[in-house]
Amino acid sequence: LWLAVYHADCIPLFFYTDDAIGLAHVGWRGTAKGLPAKIVREMVKHFKVDPKDIVVKFGPFICKNHYDVSVDDERLKKLPHDLRGDKAYIDLYQAAREQLVKVGISESRIMNYKLCECTAEHPDKYWSYHQDREQLAGVMLSVIGRAH
């Protein structure tokens, strides 16, 4: 079984246990609507896994240091952010992590932020819509598989 998602700056969020896998494209809309928690609840419901057994990894995404929006942006009502001058910086990692912990994922099973790679900080490796929107093409594919 192979699962794949296309993404740019949104989080490709990988879920796995000994018995199940999951993969989600988690952008600001999905995060604001609770998608990380919903994925866990669906894995529990359909695969009868214990949330404490689920490991969660983050693929490359835009980090809080580069996801800047105007201070009157609607997204700020729903997502954690920092204000710096006339900009606000959205923290998708924190929002996703908080949801995962609330549904029973152990913090030790959630990828540490220090290990995550930012799409905007590594233009040699990743394409960032937020940083490079003037360029026409750019998308990434994240894949998770399971052999039986």
Side-chain angles (χ1 to χ4, degrees):
L1 173 68
W2 294 92
L3 304 174
V5 294
Y6 288 106
H7 60 96
D9 292 321
C10 299
I11 302 170
L13 201 54
F14 299 83
F15 301 82
Y16 62 92
T17 69
D18 289 340
D19 301 313
I21 59 173
L23 179 60
H25 172 272
V26 182
W28 74 265
R29 286 181 187 89
T31 304
K33 292 180 180 180
L35 184 58
K38 288 178 185 178
I39 296 293
V40 172
R41 286 193 294 272
E42 290 298 312
M43 289 182 73
V44 169
K45 177 180 172 184
H46 294 287
F47 301 112
K48 311 297 185 229
V49 297
D50 185 331
K52 292 181 180 88
D53 294 332
I54 299 173
V55 175
V56 182
K57 301 287 184 181
F58 290 69
F61 65 96
I62 194 162
C63 72
K64 64 184 178 182
N65 296 325
H66 297 279
Y67 194 0
D68 61 310
V69 297
S70 67
V71 293
D72 58 351
D73 193 292
E74 286 292 311
R75 291 172 273 196
L76 302 181
K77 294 178 183 175
K78 299 177 180 179
L79 297 168
H81 59 277
D82 294 326
L83 296 174
R84 290 182 240 151
D86 63 343
K87 297 273 186 178
Y89 292 79
I90 295 175
D91 191 343
L92 290 177
Y93 176 87
Q94 179 184 341
R97 187 183 119 339
E98 288 172 358
Q99 289 179 34
L100 294 166
V101 170
K102 283 183 184 175
V103 292
I105 304 290
S106 168
E107 289 200 40
S108 66
R109 292 187 160 266
I110 299 171
M111 185 174 181
N112 185 298
Y113 181 77
K114 293 176 184 171
L115 300 175
C116 296
E117 288 196 304
C118 175
T119 52
E121 289 178 2
H122 299 283
D124 55 319
K125 292 169 71 173
Y126 309 117
W127 184 77
S128 170
Y129 173 80
H130 195 75
Q131 295 292 106
D132 304 317
R133 65 184 78 180
E134 303 303 319
Q135 297 176 6
L136 294 176
V139 70
M140 295 181 287
L141 179 70
S142 286
V143 179
I144 187 171
R146 184 178 161 84
H148 282 353

